Amino acid sequence: MSKRGRLVLILAVLAVCFLFLWPTLQWYANTPKDQQALALSSLENIKDYSSHKASSDVKAMKAAVKADKSILLDENQKWLEKVAKKNYRDMEQAVPNPMTLYDALASFSSQQELEELVEKRYRDEILKNKKYYQNSVKLGLDLSGGMNVIVKADLDSVVAAQKDNFAADEQTLKQTAMQQALETLTNRIDRFGLSSPTIRQQGEDRIYIELPGSAETDQINSIIQGRGILNFRLVDNDATQAFNSYFMQHPDSTFDSQGRLIDPSIIPDDCEVFGYYTTDEYGLDQRIGYLAVKKEIILDGKHIKSARVGTEDLTNRPSVNFTLDGEGTAIFGTFTSANVGKSLAIVSDNRIKSNATIQSAITGGQVAITGFGLEEANNLEKVLQTAWLDVPLTVESQQVIGASLGDQSIRQGITAIAVGLALIMIFMLIWYKGAGINACVAQILNLYIMFSILSAFNLTITLPTIAGMILTIGMAVDANVIIFERIKEERRLGKDRASSIAVGFDNAFWAIMDSNITTFIAALFMSQLGTGSIQGFAVSLAIGVVSTVFTALVVSRLMFDFGTQALHRENISISWRLK
């Protein structure tokens, strides 16, 4: 490869690495801690926060205008001026100059339009930070603190309970039950706002869960082993109307930060308020309102034997049909006979997923729910399946790692890398004089490339990963030592600078490649066959091997050639014994 080709290649690699590393830099260096906490919360919490902040901001702006109609926009409201100018141009009206806060608010057709715009600004900012986190290098539990849990699913009990109701074979039933257990756990854990959980199947009947950050052990156990999550309750229409009237007047002071009513007296003592959700086009739950339901549970989800999506006979519209067991049939028949014409809500994980009117008494145990599209019907079917599959989950092992231990590990890891790098750089500068500068630059770029690749693949840094980086530092300098010693041999034979460098790199090439290829193969097998800490060490080692070869053979070679051709040097500062 020509010198110009090497330069272009190095610049291209460094530019691509910077793009890979940008989300990590933005997340850890440019995102405040409070914004990180928001970005790591669940999508529902982000929605609620953005909505409440927008409502509060609009209310504050209206109060400011009421107090002083001539008040100007402050620095934090300059974005509103741009939108207002566009609104005036769209309405073909003269743009006020100067733009007052009153003028800006008057450019919007309704308060709802303004609130949606403000909410979008909050939401976009939080989601941008969330995207930075998703594309950045993560810290493992041993560095960030948190909890890992292994949950065992009792698939044999599922097979025993549902064998007569499930048409497919036993293996298919187990796979369906595991998929449902994974989906249920994911929904429950995300709903509690726990940051960035890792949930994956391990083997046939186990689920591995990682929960970074602080989490209460009892809370996690209650989430994992929750029972009676799905149930049927009667809707109190009068209480719902009273609550909605109150909520419209006090949108930002109705609930506390935990979603509980600040003033419980606005609804009867025998009722509680839940959000009414539908599924948007992205498959996420979207709250469309609130309903007040009775605390008394009419029917628990454990009585559902099966659920499937069908169609109505007359209208051909989607319906969800489910079958109740004997006890559930008797309970539901008695209840529906006494409450014809009233509304019945299906509550799942404290969310209302369906609000249906009881058209007639249902006494045969066969229930059909209608009034929604096909996608909503499929989603409701999954909700009902959560109940009838009812996969028993038990916590098999649980390990809590304190955040303070993680902070200490981070400091020790950074110290180890810094001290190791500094000592090696000092040794190379003393032993190899000017050529040692090439090795130092190669070492720094080596770590830069490693971090960039970790960020590009959203990999997690753990203590074994740091160990792999430290080992890579030693391996990288070893490649430089081989090259420098080969160059010194050529200089002893009396060759000039250019020839010594060219022959030295050529002779060192296969020695470096042989050692690094065998190391890469070992790291590859460890990453495939190992788990946990072994896998983390192997991945960082494999990345380090690739970056080491690049910096030793390409970057270091270009620096030598630059000294020869651009600086016109004839001697090589590479040894105390050679001139």
Side-chain angles (χ1 to χ4, degrees):
M1 183 183 293
S2 66
K3 286 78 176 175
R4 181 174 297 179
R6 289 194 191 96
L7 178 60
V8 172
L9 176 60
I10 292 171
L11 292 177
V13 169
L14 294 181
V16 171
C17 287
F18 182 77
L19 292 177
F20 289 158
L21 201 57
W22 179 250
T24 298
L25 295 174
Q26 284 293 313
W27 175 255
Y28 289 103
N30 201 36
T31 305
K33 291 294 184 182
D34 57 337
Q35 293 298 314
Q36 287 185 1
L38 280 171
L40 290 175
S41 63
S42 64
L43 290 175
E44 181 188 352
N45 289 343
I46 293 174
K47 275 185 178 181
D48 290 342
Y49 174 83
S50 302
S51 177
H52 291 161
K53 288 291 291 182
S55 177
S56 178
D57 286 359
V58 171
K59 183 181 292 185
M61 285 189 285
K62 292 180 68 176
V65 168
K66 188 176 181 180
D68 183 3
K69 200 172 183 179
S70 62
I71 188 173
L72 297 176
L73 295 166
D74 60 30
E75 288 299 321
N76 294 328
Q77 296 169 339
K78 288 299 182 183
W79 65 271
L80 189 59
E81 182 177 1
K82 296 180 181 179
V83 178
K85 287 180 178 180
K86 182 179 181 303
N87 291 342
Y88 277 111
R89 285 192 293 266
D90 291 342
M91 294 184 295
E92 298 181 352
Q93 296 181 12
V95 178
N97 189 19
M99 177 80 69
T100 65
L101 182 56
Y102 172 81
D103 295 328
L105 298 184
S107 69
F108 292 91
S109 59
S110 65
Q111 179 175 330
Q112 181 180 358
E113 181 186 358
L114 177 59
E115 287 186 357
E116 288 176 354
L117 179 65
V118 178
E119 180 181 349
K120 183 178 184 300
R121 280 181 57 83
Y122 279 110
R123 182 176 65 247
D124 290 349
E125 183 65 24
I126 298 172
L127 292 181
K128 182 181 72 173
N129 292 332
K130 196 178 191 73
K131 188 175 182 181
Y132 282 144
Y133 173 76
Q134 292 170 348
N135 294 324
S136 68
V137 173
K138 311 295 190 302
L139 297 180
L141 293 185
D142 51 358
L143 299 179
S144 65
M147 177 187 302
N148 65 40
V149 185
I150 296 179
V151 178
K152 186 178 187 302
D154 190 356
L155 300 182
D156 292 334
S157 66
V158 175
V159 172
Q162 300 296 334
K163 199 168 186 179
D164 296 334
N165 301 322
F166 200 81
D169 59 275
E170 180 177 313
Q171 188 61 32
T172 303
L173 176 57
K174 287 184 176 181
Q175 292 175 357
T176 303
M178 279 302 293
Q179 291 173 1
Q180 192 62 55
L182 282 167
E183 183 176 346
T184 301
L185 281 177
T186 300
N187 290 337
R188 290 179 189 171
I189 291 174
D190 182 66
R191 193 157 300 147
F192 275 76
L194 301 171
S195 61
S196 302
T198 298
I199 305 172
R200 63 176 181 266
Q201 185 171 342
Q202 192 175 71
E204 183 186 30
D205 60 353
R206 284 168 175 79
I207 300 171
Y208 177 79
I209 304 172
E210 278 189 3
L211 301 169
S214 59
E216 295 292 335
T217 303
D218 294 339
Q219 180 193 32
I220 298 302
N221 288 337
S222 65
I223 294 172
I224 292 173
Q225 302 180 73
R227 289 290 187 272
I229 296 297
L230 184 140
N231 52 69
F232 296 77
R233 304 197 195 189
L234 190 64
V235 178
D236 190 323
N237 293 320
D238 293 335
T240 298
Q241 185 176 359
F243 169 80
N244 287 329
S245 298
Y246 180 88
F247 182 72
M248 289 180 65
Q249 299 175 13
H250 310 85
D252 55 351
S253 60
T254 302
F255 297 100
D256 61 15
S257 59
Q258 302 298 320
R260 296 171 299 210
L261 284 176
I262 296 176
D263 181 9
S265 65
I266 60 178
I267 58 173
D269 293 337
D270 63 343
C271 292
E272 53 186 330
V273 173
F274 292 133
Y276 185 18
Y277 289 82
T278 185
T279 305
D280 61 19
E281 61 272 19
Y282 299 101
L284 299 173
D285 280 349
Q286 180 179 8
R287 191 181 64 237
I288 59 176
Y290 291 96
L291 292 177
V293 299
K294 297 293 186 181
K295 291 182 179 179
E296 180 187 4
I297 295 175
I298 304 304
L299 187 70
D300 196 274
K302 66 182 181 181
H303 295 294
I304 299 175
K305 293 173 60 179
S306 63
R308 62 181 179 83
V309 174
T311 55
E312 290 185 273
D313 295 334
L314 297 177
T315 63
N316 206 34
R317 291 183 301 179
S319 67
V320 177
N321 307 312
F322 58 92
T323 304
L324 301 173
D325 59 16
E327 184 182 356
T329 299
I331 295 173
F332 206 60
T334 303
F335 172 77
T336 53
S337 298
N339 293 279
V340 174
K342 295 183 180 180
S343 297
L344 184 68
I346 297 180
V347 182
S348 175
D349 285 352
N350 291 336
R351 292 184 173 194
I352 296 175
K353 293 300 186 107
S354 177
N355 178 29
T357 301
I358 303 173
Q359 303 289 351
S360 60
I362 303 172
T363 57
Q366 302 291 329
V367 185
I369 306 176
T370 60
F372 30 69
L374 179 60
E375 185 175 354
E376 290 178 295
N378 288 327
N379 289 323
L380 184 56
E381 178 191 29
K382 292 179 181 178
V383 171
L384 295 174
Q385 284 178 344
T386 303
W388 71 265
L389 279 175
D390 193 22
V391 184
L393 302 174
T394 56
V395 177
E396 193 169 63
S397 69
Q398 190 174 67
Q399 183 180 9
V400 179
I401 301 172
S404 59
L405 176 61
D407 292 338
Q408 181 182 359
S409 300
I410 292 174
R411 289 193 299 271
Q412 291 175 344
I414 293 176
T415 302
I417 292 176
V419 171
L421 182 62
L423 291 176
I424 287 176
M425 290 171 68
I426 292 172
F427 169 81
M428 295 299 288
L429 290 171
I430 294 174
W431 191 259
Y432 291 105
K433 301 178 67 177
I437 297 175
N438 295 24
C440 294
V441 173
Q443 289 280 16
I444 294 172
L445 291 181
N446 196 27
L447 287 176
Y448 170 75
I449 293 171
M450 283 190 67
F451 274 108
S452 301
I453 296 176
L454 288 170
S455 181
F457 291 98
N458 303 328
L459 299 177
T460 301
I461 293 182
T462 60
L463 284 176
T465 306
I466 294 176
M469 290 181 178
I470 297 172
L471 180 60
T472 299
I473 293 174
M475 292 170 52
V477 78
D478 181 61
N480 283 280
V481 168
I482 293 174
I483 293 171
F484 295 167
E485 291 299 325
R486 292 287 189 178
I487 292 175
K488 287 165 64 175
E489 289 177 3
E490 299 302 318
R491 289 291 286 170
R492 291 191 185 100
L493 296 175
K495 294 182 180 180
D496 60 11
R497 175 187 170 99
S499 298
S500 298
I501 291 172
V503 175
F505 271 92
D506 290 342
N507 291 339
F509 178 83
W510 284 113
I512 293 172
M513 292 301 295
D514 286 346
S515 61
N516 281 281
I517 287 174
T518 52
T519 304
F520 184 82
I521 292 173
L524 189 64
F525 273 93
M526 281 195 295
S527 67
Q528 295 298 315
L529 301 178
T531 58
S533 59
I534 296 176
Q535 197 171 42
F537 172 79
V539 169
S540 65
L541 183 60
I543 295 173
V545 167
V546 176
S547 61
T548 294
V549 171
F550 176 78
T551 55
L553 297 180
V554 180
V555 175
S556 184
R557 177 66 182 271
L558 182 66
M559 293 181 68
F560 274 116
D561 290 343
F562 178 80
T564 302
Q565 298 180 5
L567 302 180
H568 305 292
R569 291 175 177 170
E570 296 181 0
N571 295 322
I572 306 176
S573 176
I574 198 170
S575 173
W576 292 98
R577 299 178 180 179
L578 294 175
K579 300 296 183 182

